[in-house]
Amino acid sequence: MRYPLRSFIFLLTFVPVAASSPPNTPDPAVIIQRSVEALHRDWQAAPQFVHIERDLEGNGWKTYQVLMIEGSPYQKLIAVNGKPLSPEDANDEEQKLRHTVAERCGESPAERQKRISDYEAGEKRDHAMIAELTRAFTFRVTGQQRIDGHQTWVLSATPKPGYQPPSLETKALTGMDGKLWIDTATFEWVRVQAHVIRPVSIGGFLATVEPGTIFRLVRAPVSKGVWAPAHFSERANARILGIIGHSTHSDETYTDYQNVSAVKIPACPSQ
């Protein structure tokens, strides 16, 4: 899972300055702060769940069962282009899973710590990137809208003057605007959308992110009091060395969240 794909914020300590909003609506800063608290709870609960993930890879689709194995995720391939694996291929994937379980169970404490630390470092980079969305923008409540059965506040996000991105990855935010749909009852992020409105140079003169780049995230409840990503998509346009056009597209769907206790995972082999 690339993103978002867990889309939980636990590093955020900054509450954005709010622009004016329609009368009789909550302060945008309060809505954002409450949403941060909800996302923090979701992040803490994430390791309790496994799920199914469908990814666009090249010109086709691959579907994985994403399991937590000894402290970090493992993707078990279960379908290609919507078709279940043949019995032979399914058996191969089961053997790969068992081999991975055996490897992780046999790790030294130092090896285990490094593997889990590497996974957590990637998660923290994702969380920090999402946190920068709130640092980079000024928010304004523009109204309410019912989305996927949830009543939401709709917030517009415009680039904040003077924002200084802390990394090359976050520099793209200076040329973007966005929109958030936040559940009025739970303060969960229901949808997030951001798109590039002006070219932004990253990596010096090596690459420029072009207008037309767009990111979308959809989230949904997966258990009482817990939300998680349901869909993430990205269409990116860039220009390399000022002349070479480059476009990418990613699409990821997350379904069938279950508590880890309800999913059978091979046990560590007997020593």
Side-chain angles (χ1 to χ4, degrees):
M1 180 165 55
R2 275 189 346 100
Y3 175 70
L5 258 151
R6 298 221 196 281
S7 71
F8 311 120
I9 301 175
F10 74 101
L11 295 176
L12 184 60
T13 58
F14 178 85
V15 178
V17 176
S20 60
S21 301
N24 302 319
T25 60
D27 185 336
V30 173
I31 295 175
I32 294 295
Q33 181 60 43
R34 293 287 299 274
S35 75
V36 168
E37 295 167 359
L39 288 165
H40 177 84
R41 293 191 296 270
D42 293 335
W43 176 79
Q44 290 180 317
Q48 301 173 19
F49 294 89
V50 300
H51 64 275
I52 302 299
E53 179 176 331
R54 180 174 178 261
D55 296 347
L56 177 63
E57 298 186 9
N59 294 322
W61 296 85
K62 290 187 177 180
T63 303
Y64 302 90
Q65 183 182 36
V66 182
L67 306 167
M68 290 297 292
I69 306 293
E70 297 295 314
S72 64
Y74 176 83
Q75 290 186 320
K76 179 184 178 183
L77 183 66
I78 59 174
V80 176
N81 293 326
K83 296 181 179 180
L85 300 182
S86 68
E88 294 81 6
D89 289 342
N91 181 67
D92 288 345
E93 292 300 321
E94 181 66 22
Q95 293 307 311
K96 290 178 185 177
L97 170 61
R98 292 182 180 277
H99 178 72
T100 298
V101 171
E103 275 191 335
R104 294 186 182 184
C105 290
E107 291 172 331
S108 68
E111 289 171 333
R112 177 183 172 86
Q113 181 179 3
K114 182 181 185 306
R115 172 174 54 82
I116 295 176
S117 295
D118 288 345
Y119 160 64
E120 291 178 344
E123 291 291 284
K124 289 178 181 179
R125 284 193 296 269
D126 287 344
H127 303 159
M129 180 64 175
I130 302 170
E132 286 304 312
L133 295 177
T134 59
R135 301 177 192 269
F137 299 113
T138 296
F139 294 92
R140 182 171 67 89
V141 179
T142 61
Q144 292 193 25
Q145 185 176 355
R146 194 159 189 84
I147 297 290
D148 299 333
H150 303 280
Q151 190 66 21
T152 68
W153 285 297
V154 184
L155 285 81
S156 65
T158 55
K160 183 178 296 183
Y163 168 71
Q164 297 295 321
S167 67
L168 290 176
E169 291 178 332
T170 56
K171 189 176 180 181
L173 300 177
T174 61
M176 303 177 75
D177 64 15
K179 195 172 184 179
L180 291 86
W181 291 260
I182 298 179
D183 186 270
T184 60
T186 63
F187 292 90
E188 296 279 5
W189 288 17
V190 180
R191 288 188 185 179
V192 183
Q193 179 172 301
H195 58 274
V196 174
I197 56 176
R198 59 177 176 269
V200 179
S201 174
I202 58 175
F205 296 103
L206 295 180
T208 301
V209 180
E210 298 284 341
T213 298
I214 187 166
F215 307 89
R216 293 188 177 96
L217 172 68
V218 177
R219 302 177 73 249
V222 298
S223 182
K224 185 177 181 180
V226 179
W227 287 50
H231 183 245
F232 174 76
S233 65
E234 170 191 25
R235 288 188 179 275
N237 297 325
R239 192 163 295 279
I240 311 299
L241 299 175
I243 56 174
I244 304 173
H246 180 67
S247 298
T248 60
H249 174 46
S250 62
D251 193 292
E252 303 170 2
T253 301
Y254 312 94
T255 60
D256 196 25
Y257 284 86
Q258 298 182 66
N259 191 280
V260 293
S261 61
V263 179
K264 186 176 180 180
I265 298 174
C268 289
S270 301
Q271 302 298 322

